[in-house]
Amino acid sequence: MSDHHTYKKIEMVGSSPVGTDEAIKNALAECSKTIRNIDWFEVTETRGHVENGSVSHFQVTLKIGFRIDNS
């Protein structure tokens, strides 16, 4: 077995009315339904929707890294 790996990075956006942590978890949960070997994520952008002076929804853009099989 080799001691090096090859990775691919994709960009996803998670959302939640609860907060940014929940938005991250939602994005990772959806991504893990179809992608194997997810190893890391990086938050690249955070946004929010404001209604009547309060935050009503959070959006977090993630770069998600996963290992290519047999790399």
Side-chain angles (χ1 to χ4, degrees), residues 27-41:
L28 289 171
E30 284 299 314
C31 194
S32 68
K33 289 179 182 178
T34 57
I35 296 176
R36 296 183 308 276
N37 305 323
I38 295 173
D39 284 340
W40 55 269
F41 71 91

Side-chain angles (χ1 to χ4, degrees), residues 34-52:
T34 57
I35 296 176
R36 296 183 308 276
N37 305 323
I38 295 173
D39 284 340
W40 55 269
F41 71 91
E42 171 187 355
V43 175
T44 59
E45 190 174 24
T46 304
R47 291 180 300 283
H49 181 80
V50 178
E51 287 184 12
N52 300 319

Side-chain angles (χ1 to χ4, degrees), residues 8 11 13 18 20 25 33 35 38 47 51 55 64 66 69-70:
K8 181 168 177 75
E11 191 170 77
V13 178
V18 177
T20 55
K25 290 176 185 176
K33 289 179 182 178
I35 296 176
I38 295 173
R47 291 180 300 283
E51 287 184 12
V55 177
I64 298 174
F66 58 95
D69 283 340
N70 301 319

Side-chain angles (χ1 to χ4, degrees), residues 4-8 37 39 65-71:
H4 68 278
H5 301 288
T6 302
Y7 295 88
K8 181 168 177 75
N37 305 323
D39 284 340
F66 58 95
R67 190 173 9 89
I68 303 299
D69 283 340
N70 301 319
S71 69

Side-chain angles (χ1 to χ4, degrees), residues 1-17:
M1 182 173 185
S2 175
D3 62 352
H4 68 278
H5 301 288
T6 302
Y7 295 88
K8 181 168 177 75
K9 252 192 320 190
I10 61 169
E11 191 170 77
M12 299 286 290
V13 178
S15 64
S16 171

